[in-house]
Amino acid sequence: MRILERNVYVGPSLYAHFPVIRLLLDLGPLEGWPTGKLGAAFVDGLVAALPTLQEHGCSYREPGGFIRRMRGDPQDPDGTWLGHVFEHVAIELQNIAGEDVTFGKTRSVDGQPGVYTVVYEYAQRDEGVEAGELAIRLLCSLLPPELQPEGVVPADWAWPEARLDFIRYAQRRALGPSTASLVKAAEERNIPWLRLNEQSLIQLGHGKFQQRIQATVTGRTSYIAVELAQDKEETNKILANQGLPVPRQELVRSADRAVRAAERLGFPVVTKPYNGNHGRGISIELKTADEVRAGFAAAAEHSSSVIVETYLSGADHRLLVVNGELIAATRRTPGRVIGDGQHSVRELVDIVNQDPRRGVGHEKVMTRIELDAQADTMLARQGMTPDSVPAEGQVVELRSTANLSTGGTATDVTDVIHPDNREMAVRAVTAIGLDVGGVDFLCPDITESYKTVGGGICEVNAAPGFRMHVAPSEGTPRDAAGPVIDMLFPAGVASRVPIAAITGTNGKTTTSRMLAHITKMAGYTPGLTTTDGVYIDGQRTVEGDMTGPVATRMVLADPAIDMAVLEIARGGLLRAGMGVPFVNVGAVLNVQADHLGMKGIDTLEQLAEVKRIIVEVARDCAVLNADDEHVIRMSAHTEAKHLCYVTLNPQHAVVREHIRAGGRACALEAGVNGQMITLYDKGRHIPLMWTHLIPATLEGRAMHNVQNAMFAAALAFSLDIKLDAIRQGLRTFDSTFFQAPGRMNVYDEHPFKVIFDYAHNAHAVGVMADLAQRLDVRGRRIVVVAGPGDRRNEDIVAIAEAVAGRFDHYICRRDDGLRGRAPDEVPQMIAAVLRQRGVPDSAITIIPDEQEAIDAALRMGQPGDLLLVFADALTRSWKQVTKFKPDGAAVASAAPAAAAPAPADDEPATVALGADLEAAGFVRDERGLRFVGEAAD
């Protein structure tokens, strides 16, 4: 049994709309050993190791269902296969570590016996991955010796220790109880969050609306207040000056001075670190000089300076104050056992730890009590050892402080705290200047005023833990986190930025850039992810292909942005999913043959399913290309409030009926002055803009950019951007290399015109070849053509066919990255196809190197020629074009090219739906027309 592949999806993917791990699991010979054949010993052993598997319902949908599946029955004696068992074990391992995950799915892989695709939900990435590794070791350890794979289970491996190690591993990486409660409160208020490090630094909200917390310290917490709270001596003075009850104390730096201070203050005393926390290094009720020396040594391990203060008797309370209001009050009891006259202290600890509410660390409501050095010290002070047998009813203290993390218990007393004590806590936290603070208060009776029964404040904590309040051992749980979130995000304050996601085979980069430009013209500060980098307010901050979830996180974490425009590529979706659980608007531009045969995507239908993820998670509007049969069918898979169809064909049957039903659409309509981009919504007809006024369309001739502009307009309209801002954005967006590198960049400073493009699949290459035909060229048309080496042979053939017969000369090259091909394999393939299509050898030049090929084309150019250069290394190649100087010739500007009228048969075809739209699988609802044929199948 081994893992062949692993993908960790951080967001929506092909498998789920939440984080999951996908494994390709090879059972090997174990494929022949289902659970029914392995027998009762295997199943019983697994249930003994993970008793809570009995709660899994599996296909029976009731507790015990999964165990029934494993044991089998007369109708299904095989039981189930180990791939399925692995899925359940990986989920349950996370459950025992405290995570609430339930989803899993296992399917056999066609044509690969014994190989399974296993998908299971996770809460923490590293924990989820480790759960898969541990599941394999556990399952293999339970197999008969002759079936155990060699090297999987170490010789010294033992399940009980492995279980505890895994829980501790998970807890080291999990959010602490306080941080987790704040995150939960944020989620309940629909506030997004990002974890910024491996500890507890959390960003709440997106972009410029974000607030940060680290545990219970917020971005608004005063630095001075935190410093004061850590300075216990200064805190004591400030509170005393406010007339609040505090013990007398002295600051010392040696054991001898600690003894003298204790003598002056009067025994008993307390010693504690000058700037400690979590109860570390505190010793209480010290009655002798030797005890003070020992207490000093314990405190000195945490701080060079030690505080000696008068001992306050009474119960230990933690009073939580948030934003000037007492939120919760808890009485804390140190870890202890109570004798029964029969069992030793060690045995009593074991009995107490059997309480199902106790676990390792923060695994459960309470923490297990440990017999460690501190417990030995406490026992010694009581004249006992771990093997002593205390009398019945005798209380044996095992800790000097009441922290839950050391086995203490917490009892909620919020409802009974005296008003004077409530006011005292608020005044103390306010005096220090904290927005969130915890007051440690000792008093005999919290229901009585400290003015009457006495008591005092020991400390004011700047990062108070919430665990004791949200999950007390006894009493009512309190919402400690909610008031903090409400303080950071008062009612009506935004926490999210609008998010637009764009995908498709071609045009997504240009459309994303257009939309980002429109939003900037509308006054927003957009964050943009594209194939060439991350842009914040138009400035590139990170270079590279940034179309996956990492780039999404970068944009949403940037404190400047208030709009996110995400170009989403196929590769990122297949590798790690989306970086956000949902988007406001999502668009799919087209689905064309590209990257097929890679990562398990072999057909256009499979590629469409990948790109469909964007509209599946769109909340407000799904924008779909009605002229693409694969895209229009995605309307069956979105729950967005609005559907917006985009079409170049004003006679489109579905779009026409959709508009009549009050739906949203963007259509291209003919007028006396050219072609008009027109919006429709709820019966309104909104002429938006003439295409020839959009610079990126080359006066309306570049139909692919006309369509991109329509998508950008539809997305902007669906983001509630004003029409004038949309118009201004389209008018001022051009196809220069600066605004859209590698997207139909035109260079006119040579005697010939150069069109420079990154097209790398047959559809995109064909669109640019069509544009070259539309332009009125006085000279020759020359093309530099290539194909990526990792594409299928048929894809490279299709690229060659897209240009065949349309140019006067062809220069065939390859990309710098061979991607598994021979150095001249791709250009030779393209040249062979051109010859088959009737192109003479004299019109074909093979120059494999990109730089040499582009240089040859530039030197071939004559006045009036048109050079169409398909480039791969964009920046280098563009510089090559712009820096080129013809030998012995003066550089003159090429005359502007005029457009030849577009042939009628170039108009896009409507999806073949037939006359009866209902029969074709479309239905009308409150959003207009959508396809339901697939959903009904």
Side-chain angles (χ1 to χ4, degrees), residues 201-438:
L201 181 60
I202 303 294
Q203 174 185 313
L204 302 173
H206 289 157
K208 75 175 188 180
F209 304 120
Q210 66 181 266
Q211 299 285 342
R212 290 181 180 176
I213 59 170
Q214 181 146 359
T216 59
V217 175
T218 78
R220 298 183 181 181
T221 302
S222 164
Y223 174 79
I224 293 177
V226 173
E227 288 291 301
L228 283 176
Q230 290 180 337
D231 186 333
K232 295 179 174 26
E233 182 185 30
E234 197 64 37
T235 296
N236 183 276
K237 292 178 180 178
I238 290 174
L239 298 183
N241 289 338
Q242 295 289 322
L244 294 168
V246 291
R248 293 177 297 117
Q249 61 179 212
E250 292 187 24
L251 184 68
V252 300
R253 293 180 178 271
S254 70
D256 290 339
R257 289 182 181 274
V259 171
R260 288 197 291 273
E263 291 171 344
R264 284 192 295 271
L265 294 171
F267 291 100
V269 295
V270 174
T271 57
K272 59 185 179 183
Y274 172 69
N275 55 1
N277 54 31
H278 297 295
R280 298 185 184 98
I282 296 179
S283 302
I284 66 171
E285 204 173 358
L286 308 178
K287 299 177 180 178
T288 67
D290 289 341
E291 288 183 352
V292 170
R293 292 179 187 279
F296 177 88
E301 293 180 4
H302 303 277
S303 174
S304 59
S305 299
V306 174
I307 289 176
V308 180
E309 67 181 23
T310 55
Y311 172 70
L312 298 175
S313 62
D316 182 3
H317 299 86
R318 166 61 62 81
L319 312 179
L320 176 66
V321 176
V322 176
N323 200 26
E325 181 181 352
L326 186 117
I327 300 301
T330 300
R331 183 176 66 249
R332 302 183 295 182
T333 304
R336 58 174 58 171
V337 293
I338 299 176
D340 60 4
Q342 300 179 15
H343 295 91
S344 68
V345 171
R346 191 186 310 277
E347 292 169 333
L348 290 170
V349 168
D350 290 338
I351 293 171
V352 168
N353 285 339
Q354 290 175 11
D355 186 336
R357 296 177 298 169
R358 291 189 181 270
V360 178
H362 297 304
E363 175 192 2
K364 296 183 179 179
V365 173
M366 295 187 291
T367 301
R368 294 167 59 90
I369 298 176
E370 301 291 339
L371 281 176
D372 53 14
Q374 187 176 356
D376 290 341
T377 300
M378 292 296 295
L379 287 171
R381 293 178 60 183
Q382 298 167 83
M384 305 179 74
T385 70
D387 295 319
S388 300
V389 178
E392 184 174 359
Q394 181 182 354
V395 176
V396 180
E397 303 287 356
L398 299 174
R399 287 291 185 272
S400 60
T401 57
N403 296 78
L404 269 65
S405 57
T406 58
T409 59
T411 303
D412 178 75
V413 293
T414 307
D415 292 334
V416 297
I417 184 173
H418 192 278
D420 286 349
N421 300 337
R422 180 187 294 268
E423 180 192 19
M424 172 211 64
V426 172
R427 288 184 60 210
V429 172
T430 303
I432 300 302
L434 293 168
D435 56 346
V436 180

Side-chain angles (χ1 to χ4, degrees), residues 833-913:
V833 174
L834 294 175
R835 295 187 190 101
Q836 292 173 7
R837 296 298 181 269
V839 178
D841 283 341
S842 60
I844 302 173
T845 303
I846 297 176
I847 305 178
D849 181 77
E850 182 176 40
Q851 296 183 74
E852 294 177 4
I854 293 174
D855 184 69
L858 292 169
R859 294 185 181 281
M860 191 180 295
Q862 298 295 321
D865 286 352
L866 172 66
L867 272 60
L868 176 56
V869 177
F870 292 112
D872 180 53
L874 296 181
T875 301
R876 181 190 71 193
S877 299
W878 181 249
K879 287 182 179 179
Q880 191 176 354
V881 168
T882 59
K883 302 295 184 183
F884 174 74
K885 299 292 183 182
D887 293 336
V891 178
S893 296
D905 58 2
D906 276 358
E907 293 297 330
T910 301
V911 180
L913 297 171

Side-chain angles (χ1 to χ4, degrees), residues 494-755:
S495 63
R496 294 182 178 274
V497 301
I499 302 175
I502 298 104
T503 193
T505 305
N506 298 310
K508 55 186 178 291
T509 300
T510 299
T511 301
S512 299
R513 287 178 173 275
M514 281 183 174
L515 178 59
H517 182 72
I518 290 170
T519 62
K520 184 173 174 62
M521 292 298 100
Y524 289 92
T525 301
L528 169 67
T529 68
T530 71
T531 52
D532 68 320
V534 171
Y535 292 78
I536 303 299
D537 200 24
Q539 300 298 313
R540 184 162 65 180
T541 58
V542 181
E543 187 175 354
D545 186 349
M546 304 300 291
T547 54
V550 172
T552 297
R553 180 187 177 92
M554 287 181 183
V555 163
L556 296 178
D558 193 286
I561 68 114
D562 54 9
M563 174 71 71
V565 179
L566 311 177
E567 178 186 346
I568 307 293
R570 167 208 59 90
L573 289 171
L574 289 174
R575 182 178 60 256
M578 292 185 66
V580 286
F582 64 88
V583 298
N584 297 92
V585 296
V588 182
L589 310 188
N590 45 61
V591 178
Q592 300 292 333
D594 194 14
H595 297 282
L596 296 182
M598 301 169 65
K599 296 185 180 295
I601 305 301
D602 301 313
T603 66
L604 285 176
E605 288 73 20
Q606 290 174 325
L607 184 59
E609 188 177 356
V610 175
K611 295 186 179 295
R612 194 180 72 201
I613 297 169
I614 278 72
V615 296
E616 289 177 352
V617 299
R619 291 278 181 90
D620 297 334
C621 187
V623 183
L624 303 175
N625 185 350
D627 299 330
D628 187 310
E629 63 176 325
H630 295 289
V631 177
I632 194 172
R633 292 172 181 267
M634 296 180 188
S635 61
H637 300 273
T638 181
E639 296 182 0
K641 297 175 185 175
H642 300 281
L643 280 171
C644 180
Y645 291 124
V646 175
T647 180
L648 297 174
N649 180 7
Q651 305 302 318
H652 197 296
V654 172
V655 177
R656 184 174 61 246
E657 292 301 317
H658 178 71
I659 292 170
R660 289 174 179 174
R664 184 175 298 175
C666 183
L668 189 65
E669 298 181 345
V672 295
N673 195 34
Q675 293 180 311
M676 173 67 73
I677 296 176
T678 307
L679 293 169
Y680 291 88
D681 186 47
K682 298 177 181 177
R684 291 185 298 161
H685 173 256
I686 308 170
L688 184 70
M689 195 170 186
W690 298 108
T691 61
H692 63 266
L693 297 179
I694 303 173
T697 69
L698 299 184
E699 298 185 350
R701 302 172 190 125
M703 293 305 297
H704 65 291
N705 264 0
V706 170
Q707 187 179 60
N708 292 337
M710 293 171 67
F711 271 100
L715 286 161
F717 182 77
S718 298
L719 287 167
D720 294 326
I721 293 176
K722 293 180 179 180
L723 296 174
D724 285 344
I726 299 174
R727 295 183 180 110
Q728 179 67 8
L730 293 178
R731 280 195 192 99
T732 55
F733 182 90
D734 57 35
S735 58
T736 61
F737 188 83
F738 173 76
Q739 275 204 318
R743 271 70 186 178
M744 201 187 69
N745 310 133
V746 178
Y747 192 75
D748 275 332
E749 301 301 318
H750 295 317
F752 46 84
K753 181 188 291 290
V754 178
I755 298 180

Side-chain angles (χ1 to χ4, degrees), residues 40-88:
F42 174 83
V43 177
D44 292 343
L46 182 57
V47 173
L50 288 172
T52 44
L53 280 175
Q54 297 180 80
E55 299 172 10
H56 290 216
C58 198
S59 57
Y60 290 99
R61 300 186 182 279
E62 62 182 19
F66 175 61
I67 307 302
R68 288 173 58 190
R69 283 288 305 275
M70 286 198 295
R71 296 193 187 282
D73 54 45
Q75 287 73 36
D76 186 15
D78 288 333
T80 190
W81 270 255
L82 290 182
H84 182 212
V85 177
F86 169 91
E87 167 208 321
H88 281 265

